Amino acid sequence: MPASVNVDDFTAAQTPDFEAMRHRVIDGTPYQPFFGRRNDLDEHLASLRREFVGQPEIKFAHAAMTVLLRRKIATETVYRHYRSLWAEHADLLLEILDSRWLVSACDTISDQSDDPEEARAAILLTLFVNTVKLFETERLMEGPVRQPAAPLGQRRQLHDGLSSFMVGVGDMVANLLHRLDRTLTHTRLVDRIGRQLVSRTLASDTVFSRFGRRQSRHTWPPHLPVAPIRPRPAPPARAQGHMAPPPPQYVLLNDTARLGGGFHLGTLYACHSIRSHLAARGLQEVGWANDLAGLRALLAQGPTPPQLLVLNGEGTLHHCAPRARALLEACRFGQSLGMKVAVLNTVWEANDDAMAALLRLADVVHVRDSRSLAALPPDFPARVTPDASIPIFREVARSGSFPAAVQAVAVMDNVVPEAAAALLRFAEAGALPFFAMPGAALSRIRQDASDRSGPVWPRLLQITDLMAAQAWVTGRFHGMIGALCAGRPVCALGSNTAKIEGLLEDFGLTAECLLGADWLSKPAAAQRLEVERCLELQQDPAFAARRAQVLQTACDRIGQMFDQVAALVGNPPPGRLGKADVTS
């Protein structure tokens, strides 16, 4: 992502490539929240861009077009692009934009829509959220939070015939939410935005949630029902240029950030890291593919294949899964065309000899942990290099000026449904924020919470959420990495492979960070005690020093790994690596 902001990207007649922006991470400068207005447009956009560092570029595109529309710059063209953005990527924007920007979207629709009914609905949603904002602001102005007052024993007059809400037994809010649920569709854009805004207001520390905890009759849930998240098919890969001339070129195989069509912070960071490291070493990506058919189609676009095929193994190569075998077959196909093959950033677990034979064809193999190395044949020429997402997690977390963490502990889900359900119950028992990964996992966990009228509303994890909690309980591999890189105490629960256990063992952090295998079956009180013990152990300055050292070492080894990959195509970085060798 270039450091400067090009307004022409949004004012030109051609629709911007929002699909590419969906999968690019903004980096290069520290994160910095931005409010207010700069008279100079370029200065304003450059400052605004820093608010989206570490996040998908598509979020900044939404904000930048909002600024242009407010300033009445190329209004007709920009609004056409703005509606194209929402038409193509509402599935993502509804999850990753916070309420500030969703209200802004309502304001934009109210200002610009040619549909009077849509414009009216949008301004009413703005009215709803901004009224709550005013009330909560006045509450802050009253000084330190006091103990909750006792509900009124009888109705009190307010203004113009209105009487006070009877906290505990009143039905006004429940009826209001019922009518909103009946009115807001699951298809019209402004209604889908409205469901998100109402749900986030209900689930946050607002008058709705505070009164909701006191209700004995006419209770209401912490969210409106939302439509199931359906996988969004990824569009076909597009070649980035000619297929053969210098500089050395490569294809990325298994772009996990595009799988399922959702937003997964860890896979986005891993794929971004692979691309940025290879670009820094002079390699050019010509495209990506997620299966053999996609690879064939991509290679057919050029006269000759690129020199290198890079397989991002990530959490894919385990248990002889059909897709894992298919990806290795795609590597064999690439090698048959004369391409060098590098398998990077991979777990390896419970695969058979045939899978190992396919992997042995690769020119370079790096697994993510020592457990994966031990699962390979004894003489296998693989090396251990930690997960590729670590450098960007560490850089964004260390350099950014994030607001102070407001949550003591937050919880993430797990790819194993039973473990995810247990983590959700743990969060509900403590009224802790709960985050899930995208697609079916988020839909399933939301449905579980809704069926039981649970007190938390699962959200999609972003880097700003990661930084907003002082400590974490997680069943997600990249969630654990993000917390470690952010310097947050983290308790981790094993997943569908031993990737969490493997990384913690290699880092020497198992005793402090890993929850026992029996944690799921323990009573709630025992679960809390084990979490508290883990978090307490991580308060030791000696632990913090060890954590910082292993993360620095990991970043160094990741750099060495990419040096070796670049050397495969005769492009070692100057002054870094003299031979294709990496210490395991």
Side-chain angles (χ1 to χ4, degrees):
M1 173 70 184
S4 60
V5 179
N6 189 354
V7 174
D8 292 343
D9 291 343
F10 307 109
T11 58
Q14 183 178 3
T15 303
D17 189 354
F18 294 128
E19 180 65 31
M21 295 180 190
R22 180 182 178 118
H23 300 286
R24 287 201 297 255
V25 178
I26 293 179
D27 59 7
T29 55
Y31 171 91
Q32 179 68 54
F34 176 68
F35 294 95
R37 176 189 171 97
R38 304 287 187 271
N39 290 330
D40 182 86
L41 177 62
D42 290 338
E43 181 185 351
H44 183 97
L45 291 176
S47 298
L48 181 62
R49 181 180 176 275
R50 293 185 62 178
E51 184 175 319
F52 298 98
V53 169
Q55 301 169 74
E57 187 181 335
I58 200 170
K59 290 182 71 174
F60 172 69
H62 179 268
M65 286 190 290
T66 300
V67 170
L68 296 177
L69 290 169
R70 296 291 188 274
R71 298 192 182 204
K72 303 187 186 308
I73 297 172
T75 302
E76 182 177 347
T77 299
V78 174
Y79 188 61
R80 175 165 52 83
H81 296 336
Y82 185 87
R83 292 307 295 239
S84 294
L85 171 65
W86 274 102
E88 298 167 14
H89 300 281
D91 65 308
L92 179 65
L93 295 174
L94 288 169
E95 296 293 343
I96 66 174
L97 293 179
D98 60 21
S99 291
R100 170 191 174 190
W101 289 106
L102 290 177
V103 169
S104 178
C106 289
D107 290 338
T108 299
I109 292 170
S110 176
D111 291 343
Q112 304 293 337
S113 178
D114 293 330
D115 181 349
E117 183 179 350
E118 182 183 51
R120 281 194 296 269
I123 197 61
L124 289 175
L125 290 169
T126 296
L127 173 65
F128 171 81
V129 177
N130 283 343
T131 300
V132 175
K133 178 178 177 178
L134 289 173
F135 173 82
E136 298 297 337
T137 301
E138 183 181 43
R139 185 168 174 265
L140 287 176
M141 291 168 60
E142 293 176 352
V145 177
R146 297 182 294 273
Q147 291 298 317
L152 299 174
Q154 59 183 2
R155 293 188 185 277
R156 300 277 295 274
Q157 292 301 307
L158 299 176
H159 72 275
D160 198 31
L162 292 178
S163 59
S164 59
F165 176 62
M166 296 301 292
V167 179
V169 296
D171 62 358
M172 181 195 73
V173 177
N175 289 337
L176 170 66
L177 296 177
H178 173 72
R179 292 185 178 104
L180 283 170
D181 184 31
R182 187 179 61 201
T183 303
L184 298 175
T185 71
H186 290 283
T187 55
R188 193 173 65 159
L189 174 61
V190 70
D191 292 354
R192 294 173 68 191
I193 295 174
R195 284 183 173 272
Q196 285 283 336
L197 285 170
V198 172
S199 293
R200 296 182 190 189
T201 302
L202 295 174
S204 301
D205 182 19
T206 65
V207 62
F208 288 97
S209 63
R210 293 191 295 272
F211 280 2
R213 290 192 291 269
R214 295 177 171 214
Q215 288 295 106
S216 58
R217 295 169 50 198
H218 306 299
T219 59
W220 56 84
H223 60 89
L224 294 181
V226 295
I229 300 171
R230 295 178 175 85
R232 172 184 174 273
R238 297 191 294 181
Q240 304 298 313
H242 297 294
M243 299 293 283
Q249 297 184 318
Y250 74 95
V251 172
L252 177 62
L253 181 62
N254 198 30
D255 184 341
T256 49
R258 285 180 163 88
L259 295 177
F263 169 83
H264 187 302
L265 182 63
T267 60
L268 181 71
Y269 275 20
C271 292
H272 175 80
S273 181
I274 291 171
R275 289 185 164 102
S276 60
H277 273 284
L278 292 176
R281 288 157 177 79
L283 277 68
Q284 179 184 32
E285 181 188 356
V286 300
W288 56 271
N290 276 340
D291 52 33
L292 177 57
L295 179 61
R296 288 180 182 274
L298 182 65
L299 297 181
Q301 298 179 37
T304 59
Q307 297 95 317
L308 178 65
L309 180 62
V310 177
L311 170 58
N312 170 35
E314 211 165 323
T316 308
L317 305 185
H318 60 88
H319 293 91
C320 293
R323 187 166 186 277
R325 193 180 302 273
L327 288 170
L328 292 175
E329 290 285 0
C331 288
R332 178 158 66 178
F333 170 73
Q335 191 176 55
S336 73
L337 300 179
M339 300 174 73
K340 295 289 186 180
V341 175
V343 179
L344 312 177
N345 198 46
T346 189
V347 68
W348 186 268
E349 182 174 321
N351 294 313
D352 58 22
D353 292 342
M355 290 271 288
L358 286 171
L359 184 67
R360 196 181 288 273
L361 297 175
D363 298 281
V364 167
V365 176
H366 285 258
V367 293
R368 295 191 305 196
D369 56 69
S370 298
R371 285 197 178 200
S372 292
L373 182 64
L376 288 164
D379 61 338
F380 201 99
R383 295 166 173 82
V384 175
T385 303
D387 188 80
S389 69
I390 291 174
I392 183 169
F393 267 118
R394 188 164 176 261
E395 176 61 25
V396 172
R398 281 160 49 103
S399 66
S401 300
F402 291 90
V406 295
Q407 304 291 342
V409 179
V411 185
M412 294 181 215
D413 72 333
N414 191 298
V415 70
V416 179
E418 295 78 10
L423 287 163
L424 175 61
R425 289 192 296 271
F426 178 80
E428 289 177 338
L432 305 175
F434 187 86
F435 296 88
M437 294 306 175
L442 183 57
S443 286
R444 182 175 58 246
I445 208 79
R446 278 182 177 167
Q447 189 61 52
D448 187 14
S450 180
D451 289 345
R452 295 179 293 101
S453 295
V456 302
W457 189 50
R459 294 282 303 276
L460 188 64
L461 182 73
Q462 301 187 72
I463 187 65
T464 46
D465 301 314
L466 185 72
M467 303 302 294
Q470 297 171 20
W472 284 92
V473 179
T474 181
R476 289 286 181 169
F477 175 73
H478 284 114
M480 177 186 70
I481 287 177
L484 289 171
C485 291
R488 303 295 198 255
V490 58
C491 304
L493 188 66
S495 186
N496 61 333
T497 67
K499 54 195 172 188
I500 286 176
E501 295 90 335
L503 182 137
L504 290 177
E505 286 175 4
D506 287 349
F507 281 7
L509 306 179
T510 301
E512 295 89 352
C513 297
L514 186 65
L515 296 172
D518 60 345
W519 186 85
L520 290 175
S521 60
K522 287 183 175 181
Q527 288 180 334
R528 288 195 302 273
L529 285 175
E530 186 169 350
V531 166
E532 290 168 1
R533 179 191 65 81
C534 284
L535 297 180
E536 180 64 27
L537 288 173
Q538 294 175 59
Q539 300 300 324
D540 185 354
F543 172 86
R546 282 191 291 121
R547 178 180 60 198
Q549 180 58 54
V550 295
L551 290 172
Q552 179 60 60
T553 301
C555 290
D556 293 341
R557 290 171 61 179
I558 290 165
Q560 293 168 355
M561 174 180 71
F562 286 108
D563 289 345
Q564 185 191 20
V565 173
L568 284 176
V569 291
N571 226 47
R576 288 263 335 232
L577 190 69
K579 57 182 180 178
D581 189 30
V582 177
T583 303
S584 65

